[in-house]
Amino acid sequence: MKYILLFISLLLSTITLYSQSDKEKVEATITKNKIEGHIYFLADDLLKGRETGTPENKIAASYLANSLRGYGVKPVTQNVLKGSNTESYFQEIKLNKISPVKRLLLAIDGEEFKKKVVIKPNKMEFRGEAIYLGYGLENDYKGKDVTEKIVIVRSGGPNIPDARAAFGLIEQKEQLAKEHGAVAVIEFVDTNETTWGFIDHNFNTSRIEIATDKEKKEGKKELAYLWVYDENNIQAKKLESKDKLNSKLMMEGEEIETVISQNVIGMVEGTDPQLKNEFIIYSAHYDHIGIGKQDATGDEIYNGARDNAVGTTTVLSMAENMTKYPTKRSALFIFFTGEEKGLLGSQYYVENPLLPLNKMVYCFNSDNGGYNDTSIATIIGLGRTSAEKNIKDAATAFGLNAIDDPNPEMGLFNQSDNFHFAEKGIPAPTFSLGFRSFDGDVTKYYHQAGDEADTLDYDYLLKFFQSYVLAGRLIANEPKTPTWTAGDKYEEAGKSLYGN
Ligand SMILES: [Zn+2]
């Protein structure tokens, strides 16, 4: 009797399992406790803000890889790291960490200039002649000998006064100065204090770039390029009238340190004999900005709970759900590093994909700054792909409304990892916590030390994660392959990638 009862109950549980709807499958694996576990760990002070290339960034990567391992997500076949003989969840990326030059002195015509930034460094101890050359464009060189001299120019061009546009002329001006034998370009930038503050902040901090062989070529004659603050071009006008200028430029080289960071990648095969050849990418960056300026409370660890422990948890939630209830299409899970350093992990991935990009039919990214409306999820690019309905239906099923980018003029679509996939032609929106505008409720936490795990509303987050996973399931089970909306900017790229 006992055994018969056991048998019947087993049979019943099997039947319920098979009759589960997608929504029930989502509810079965995603619980508040699990999501809290991920977010509290990833945003713990011990991880020091997960800055790319730090040991704590690697601890986060290890947590993600081993969560995938625990769920039964497989590493991508043939992703074997050098010196190993087993497949790995890690895609290692070699990066250059470049510190700003430490010693820098610039004096022209007896005057020393303090407000300056190095655009292109080059170790030098120069004492000699400088020459004023207007904008430093082709025509300005006519009849001038700049050999072994410093070239002084004003920013922009005849019709380009804006500092941001001036930045675009740097390559050209550098090239011209080099061709004519100059040793350095000093550009006087006509801008205001506020803009200069951003420029200074940007160039006078260390930065991280993907290491390429090209950067290692030494011995080639390089030239230094500096920007000097010069509101209304007062200094430039003063120098314009002078014929011969004495100058001094002392600069130490940059310090370049090689660091390694990882994308974390795993896959689950789909169940449909045909559709399993198509992959949905579920992605989020796991890095954040590390340790920074102390806030009013004395906190200096930028934990990045919203940005992007939350996004990371969407992908973990999808991965766990997928191993238990695989979808028709296959899944590729990617956790990117280096997003905060300029979308580096995703750039590296699209340049070095582990699986052919034309088999990736969708990239469902998640990145988060903050939220100010717990009745919605905000999807950057919602209306730009044919999966709009799937995403809306999924949100509705969990009591949320899916809305599109409320501030397209901010260009958020191009500011997260989805961008690199979109450029390749892969339909790729970004799923974000609900915000209706980038207001104080968002900026209070966005890239602030106070972005901590205990400031989040986990009842809301549960609905948010369940919506993401259900949306992913609906897209992955949909008979029709997702596409860009007709007329989208990336529609052509999509056609050429998929050959249709
Ligand atoms: Zn982010």
Side-chain angles (χ1 to χ4, degrees):
M1 189 61 188
K2 221 173 166 184
Y3 289 102
I4 291 173
L5 273 178
L6 185 67
F7 178 74
I8 290 173
S9 74
L10 267 175
L11 190 72
L12 279 175
S13 70
T14 317
I15 289 167
T16 39
L17 194 73
Y18 277 97
S19 65
Q20 263 179 317
S21 68
D22 270 321
K23 187 180 177 223
E24 287 163 339
K25 287 174 183 165
V26 170
E27 286 164 336
T29 68
I30 299 155
T31 67
K32 219 162 93 177
N33 291 339
K34 285 184 194 169
I35 61 182
E36 287 184 3
H38 295 314
I39 294 172
Y40 272 84
F41 178 79
L42 291 164
D44 193 298
D45 276 357
L46 285 170
L47 267 70
K48 295 182 185 163
R50 310 183 301 276
E51 188 181 10
T52 299
T54 62
E56 293 79 13
N57 172 253
K58 178 67 204 290
I59 293 172
S62 173
Y63 176 79
L64 300 173
N66 289 304
S67 295
L68 296 183
R69 197 191 306 273
Y71 302 148
V73 172
K74 298 272 178 290
V76 175
T77 325
Q78 280 147 20
N79 181 36
V80 178
L81 300 180
K82 245 190 210 146
S84 163
N85 48 19
T86 50
E87 286 156 353
S88 175
Y89 294 99
F90 298 126
Q91 179 180 45
E92 288 190 341
I93 309 173
K94 207 165 140 193
L95 301 162
N96 284 336
K97 189 174 176 186
I98 304 159
S99 311
V101 296
K102 286 205 189 82
R103 203 172 62 86
L104 178 64
L105 183 139
L106 170 69
I108 299 164
D109 202 28
E111 186 174 351
E112 192 184 336
F113 293 93
K114 300 263 187 212
K115 284 188 172 177
K116 57 192 180 299
V117 299
V118 178
I119 306 285
K120 308 220 168 168
N122 193 23
K123 191 169 158 45
M124 62 169 63
E125 300 278 320
F126 179 85
R127 277 168 214 272
E129 204 179 315
I131 180 165
Y132 182 81
L133 270 194
Y135 288 111
L137 295 169
E138 189 81 61
N139 280 338
D140 301 308
Y141 281 89
K142 283 204 180 118
K144 299 276 164 64
D145 178 15
V146 304
T147 317
E148 292 301 314
K149 291 177 193 168
I150 285 179
V151 167
I152 296 169
V153 303
R154 54 192 287 191
S155 58
N159 303 308
I160 306 168
D162 180 62
R164 215 179 324 168
F167 192 76
L169 286 171
I170 287 176
E171 293 289 337
Q172 194 186 337
K173 292 186 180 185
E174 182 196 11
Q175 203 47 45
L176 283 165
K178 224 189 262 179
E179 280 167 18
H180 290 86
V183 295
V185 178
I186 310 293
E187 184 162 18
F188 283 86
V189 181
D190 176 9
T191 188
N192 56 36
E193 283 275 0
T194 318
T195 308
W196 182 259
F198 287 118
I199 293 168
D200 186 65
H201 179 78
N202 228 337
F203 286 95
N204 279 334
T205 47
S206 63
R207 60 185 200 279
I208 286 190
E209 293 172 353
I210 295 173
T212 57
D213 296 335
K214 168 176 105 219
E215 282 162 49
K216 278 203 211 103
K217 273 182 205 150
E218 272 173 40
K220 205 176 82 190
K221 201 180 171 216
E222 283 302 330
L223 134 164
Y225 204 121
L226 267 66
W227 266 12
V228 178
Y229 174 63
D230 186 23
E231 190 164 10
N232 300 322
N233 271 151
I234 291 166
Q235 297 295 345
K237 279 173 199 152
K238 250 202 277 181
L239 298 172
E240 195 172 1
S241 53
K242 296 187 177 171
D243 230 19
K244 232 181 177 182
L245 298 164
N246 281 319
S247 67
K248 199 155 90 172
L249 178 58
M250 311 286 173
M251 191 191 306
E252 274 183 7
E254 287 181 317
E255 275 171 39
I256 300 179
E257 183 196 344
T258 301
V259 292
I260 303 284
S261 189
Q262 305 58 25
N263 288 332
V264 182
I265 306 169
M267 62 170 282
V268 171
E269 199 174 53
T271 54
D272 185 275
Q274 290 303 317
L275 293 181
K276 73 174 184 185
N277 297 313
E278 297 183 353
F279 284 75
I280 311 286
I281 295 174
Y282 302 94
S283 66
H285 75 88
Y286 70 90
D287 68 302
H288 192 56
I289 56 177
I291 291 178
K293 219 171 76 194
Q294 271 189 11
D295 70 3
T297 69
D299 191 359
E300 57 178 13
I301 300 174
Y302 288 63
N303 307 75
R306 289 159 183 76
D307 186 9
N308 196 20
V310 164
T312 304
T313 301
T314 61
V315 180
L316 286 172
S317 301
M318 188 73 216
E320 183 181 11
N321 184 265
M322 214 15 221
T323 48
K324 205 143 181 225
Y325 308 108
T327 55
K328 291 177 182 168
R329 288 192 177 80
S330 298
L332 184 67
F333 306 101
I334 315 181
F335 300 97
F336 298 113
T337 190
E339 193 270 353
E340 304 286 4
K341 304 292 182 190
L343 315 183
L344 300 182
S346 50
Q347 182 195 331
Y348 187 84
Y349 185 84
V350 298
E351 286 165 5
N352 304 275
L354 297 187
L355 293 166
L357 289 180
N358 63 7
K359 286 187 156 196
M360 308 294 119
V361 297
Y362 205 75
C363 174
F364 198 22
N365 189 53
S366 179
D367 197 358
N368 301 276
Y371 58 94
N372 50 29
D373 188 337
T374 55
S375 71
I376 58 170
T378 300
I379 293 87
I380 309 297
L382 178 63
R384 296 181 65 169
T385 78
S386 63
E388 178 175 12
K389 189 178 181 308
N390 297 137
I391 298 171
K392 280 184 169 168
D393 287 349
T396 306
F398 290 104
L400 297 179
N401 266 321
I403 70 157
D404 207 334
D405 189 351
N407 304 105
E409 71 285 355
M410 280 181 73
L412 290 177
F413 189 90
N414 295 357
Q415 289 170 39
S416 187
D417 298 303
N418 62 304
F419 170 63
H420 286 302
F421 292 85
E423 272 197 319
K424 293 283 180 191
I426 301 168
T430 290
F431 194 86
S432 301
L433 293 168
F435 67 96
R436 292 196 182 270
S437 67
F438 221 78
D439 68 4
D441 288 335
V442 176
T443 53
K444 186 179 168 198
Y445 295 105
Y446 176 69
H447 284 200
Q448 300 298 324
D451 184 9
E452 308 244 18
D454 61 3
T455 61
L456 289 163
D457 175 347
Y458 288 91
D459 291 316
Y460 166 57
L461 282 184
L462 179 62
K463 297 184 210 167
F464 174 82
F465 291 124
Q466 289 178 330
S467 300
Y468 174 88
V469 176
L470 182 56
R473 297 191 61 84
L474 296 179
I475 298 166
N477 286 329
E478 182 76 47
K480 216 177 147 285
T481 306
T483 57
W484 289 103
T485 302
D488 192 272
K489 185 181 170 190
Y490 296 113
E491 191 188 14
E492 280 310 310
K495 283 181 178 163
S496 78
L497 176 69
Y498 303 119
N500 55 22

